[in-house]
Amino acid sequence: MATAAAASASEAEAEPKAGPKAEGEEAEAKEARTRRKVLSRAVAAATYKTVGPEWDQQEEGVSESDGDEEYAMASSAESSPGEYEWEYDEEEKNQLEIERLEEQLSINVYDYNCHVDLIRLLRLEGELTKVRMARQKMSEIFPLTEELWLEWLHDEISMALDGLDREHVYDLFEKAVKDYICPNIWLEYGQYSVGGIGQKGGLEKVRSVFERALSSVGLHMTKGLAIWEAYREFESAVVEAARPIAGFLSPFDREQTFDSQLEKVHSLFRRQLAIPLYDMEATFAEYEEWSEDPIPESVIQNYNKALQQLEKYKPYEETLLQAEAPRLAEYQAYIDFEMKIGDPARIQLIFERALVENCLVPDLWIRYSQYLDRQLKVKDLVLSVHSRAVRNCPWTVALWSRYLLAMERHGVDHRVISVTFEKALSAGFIQATDYVEIWQAYLDYLRRRVDFKQDSSKELEELRSAFARALEYLKQEVEERFSESGDPSCLIMQNWARIEARLCNNMQKARELWDSIMTKGNAKYANMWLEYYNLERAHGDTQHCRKALHRAVQCTSDYPEHVCEVLLTMERTEGTLEDWDIAVQKTETRLARVNEQRIKAAEKEAALAQQEEEKAEQRKRARAEKKALKKKKTARGLDKSRAGEDEEEEWGDDEEEQPSKRRRVENSVPPAGEAEPGPEADPGLSGSSAPAAAEPPSEQKEQRAAARRRDVPKVLHDSSKDGVTVFVSNLPYGLREPAATLRPLFEACGDVVEVRPIFSNRGDFRGYCYVEFKEEAVALRALELDRQTVEGRPMFVSPCVDKSKNPDFKVFRYSTALEKHKLFVSGLPFSCTKEELEEICKAHGTVKDIRLVTNRAGKPKGLAYVEYENESQASQAVLKMDGMTIKENVIKVAISNPPQRKAPEKPEARKAPGGAMVPRQIYGARGKGRTQLSLLPRALHRPSATAAQAENGPAPPPAATEVPKMSNADFAKLLLRK
């Protein structure tokens, strides 16, 4: 756009705090000298043609072609890639890849990454014609990024040979600056236009480009400075070129040329100093040094005012510099700030800056276009933004609807609007209702074109034809793709019927349409019949109203009382006695039948509920019996062990020797000072050692379990350390050494203080544990190990939260809302791996993540979630993959939209059948104990206060329980009472 100094300034101002500019490098200095030489010579050539022959161009030895050639050399040296020496096999590989990409684009022209890869390979192969066609095709479908445009422009500049080629490059620049706000492209545009300054109108062309660049990015606080400096350097170069001939001109000519040129530079300084930009102080100092006259007071006042504004904007700019892309939240805050101030130019600029990094956010485009529609209302600007919005987010129906409204609002030709609507239909919306919405927007537009004062017109026929086409399109195209029409209430057909009745006075057509609406499953809804009745009341006659209500009474199933009431009201005000009698008879018969149906449905529902309760009671009884049986077996084992102990006491010598004998049996190690009896010892003299050796296997197992219970330490959790602790669950129960196995996994995140596995009373690992770290940051990193496999089972890692203090706390790491960039895939074969699925999905876009859904044991469930880079790729993948066959399984693919998770019923909401609150069962400190099952028959239970207390508290020990002794006669009396 201007000199190398301007170019380097643009790079420095793009990131003011990124670091100091590199200086002293020979290559950059050489390039700067070349560009400055080109600029000065080009300006000299233009000045010669403008001022006259007094300026001796031959002294500089420059021509127009020289300037063009040297600029082309500078641009090509900057942009052309290095020379690569490809071997034959690599060239063949590239050709095969090019053919594959071209074939892929013939199938799916909306594959963005495929376009980029094809352009890159064609450029490497030197296929200039093909790469130009590929770029042109991509630019027609997608807006190109700044990098893609600059690469394309540099290639075209290096190949430009004559004036026609230069015009082609100008056209490319015009397209490039319309996609996004790109200061670097504006710099290149201005710089390239300087190369054509010697042509007719070249000087005006350069100034026009610079002025447009200032209006586009001149207010950019970090990158606008480069545009201002480049423009000012250009005008300064023109002044220097005209200075040698100023002395030869008359005062009038001198004022017209030299003085007016000086005023242009003064004007640029003053305009720039009135705008808040970074490094304003340096610009002011430069103006003071350059100007021969004192700076006017008005300029100083504007400069100080701009400095004050800069201080207000700095916090937002610094926040953007510190944040990482796409910085949507930071831009939203900046936009809100600008909207409060209300400067239209600055509001437009901040929206454009935000869209460079958030071009795939439909809500941002909607907000921007809405502001332009309501505030600026400039036709070219508004339509340009709407056009860019639908190119960036073609899957968003709201953007297309707004675009059609904007085109109608600004009087765009009907054929252009129709073409835009056809593009919207082929955009690939992700919901069936989106197609209904775009059809309604287009039909509303066609309806507003019709002059209904005429009985027949071309516009009316077009409207009717469009209604018919819409119904056919929803029935065939949409219903075939989504298995639904998207219009269950027939809104389009209702709208058509209203237009025919109210605006065309064609009730016959309206009645035909309503008959069709009722046959599509809407006859059971009272509101549909009442809508039809109201239409007949307004534009029909009483006979058809009565007929509609009679049909409604017979067909309505949701609110028949309402329809019956409307019928009786009409007959009361307008009908004869015969009409009244018929209406009463029909309504009474219908309501009686409805009541019978409701009673039967209630009885059926009550029977089903009773069956469910009986099944639940049976399951509860079966569990209780199973626990009782298990309890009895445990009690028998304990009785046998007690009998063995009593037998040991009978054979022992005295009580002091008993503990040592038991230890000898359990540990098989005699205490110090005692000798273990040999094999020839008398069994009767060895205490309990002989009976212990002859114990049955069941008693040995019980003793080993008792020993494990004594060995297992009790784990006490410290809730004050929840911030540095994670809870690990779903671990394999057969894990032999949980602490030793898990410690290496979590030590990869940071220092581990302790791994506390939880064991049952028998000493068995319960499948979960606590892992405590030194720092809270390490605990947060440990959460990333969630779902990692441990011995074939996914390990669940979640924050450690006290559920008693946070009963509603839930850990679910995945979103449960609609995610338009993520797909839900079902019907996958269980043998399908993540790599195989990724290979299939990446053909339709950039896959960011794939998650195969598994059960708690790590086995696949045939489901998966596939996350794409943006919504467009996801919608295209749905079109291509839904119904695909993978390993003889037909898969289903849809946009991820999980159903709402039902909140668990709170304890306060549980009520008894009578309506009273049922208190939650309260157990002891150890929870519901295994010994709470009574061993007495139910017939012998007696309600008592102590029994009620024992039921809710921990079970008392056996020694403290006094069971009354009863004879057989007592049992017989109790049973006879029953």
Side-chain angles (χ1 to χ4, degrees), residues 647-653 657-658 661 664-665 677 682-692:
E647 188 175 355
E648 290 174 4
E649 291 177 2
E650 292 179 4
W651 286 96
D653 289 337
E657 297 176 358
Q658 199 67 20
K661 293 176 183 178
R664 193 179 305 131
V665 172
D682 185 21
L685 302 177
S686 61
S688 62
S689 56

Side-chain angles (χ1 to χ4, degrees), residues 554-663:
Q554 298 299 323
C555 300
T556 302
S557 60
D558 55 350
Y559 299 106
E561 296 89 351
H562 193 185
V563 175
C564 293
E565 183 181 353
V566 173
L567 175 59
L568 293 176
T569 301
M570 190 193 78
E571 298 298 359
R572 180 176 284 113
T573 56
E574 301 181 19
T576 63
L577 177 61
E578 183 180 0
D579 295 332
W580 171 261
D581 291 338
I582 294 174
V584 170
Q585 181 181 357
K586 285 192 174 184
T587 54
E588 289 179 351
T589 304
R590 176 58 178 165
L591 292 178
R593 188 163 63 250
V594 168
N595 289 332
E596 290 178 3
Q597 293 174 351
R598 289 176 177 172
I599 292 173
K600 290 181 180 179
E603 291 176 351
K604 185 178 180 180
E605 185 176 354
L608 291 174
Q610 185 176 0
Q611 291 178 5
E612 290 296 328
E613 291 179 0
E614 291 176 356
K615 291 180 181 179
E617 187 65 26
Q618 290 176 1
R619 290 193 295 269
K620 185 176 180 181
R621 195 180 301 117
R623 286 196 298 268
E625 292 175 357
K626 186 177 180 180
K627 289 182 179 179
L629 182 61
K630 192 172 183 181
K631 191 70 177 179
K632 289 179 181 179
K633 291 182 179 179
T634 305
R636 290 173 186 169
L638 291 174
D639 292 340
K640 289 183 180 180
S641 62
R642 286 174 187 152
E645 292 175 3
D646 294 340
E647 188 175 355
E648 290 174 4
E649 291 177 2
E650 292 179 4
W651 286 96
D653 289 337
D654 60 358
E655 295 179 358
E656 285 78 12
E657 297 176 358
Q658 199 67 20
S660 64
K661 293 176 183 178
R662 290 175 183 170
R663 282 196 300 270

Side-chain angles (χ1 to χ4, degrees), residues 92 424 430 496:
E92 185 177 2
I430 59 179
W496 190 4

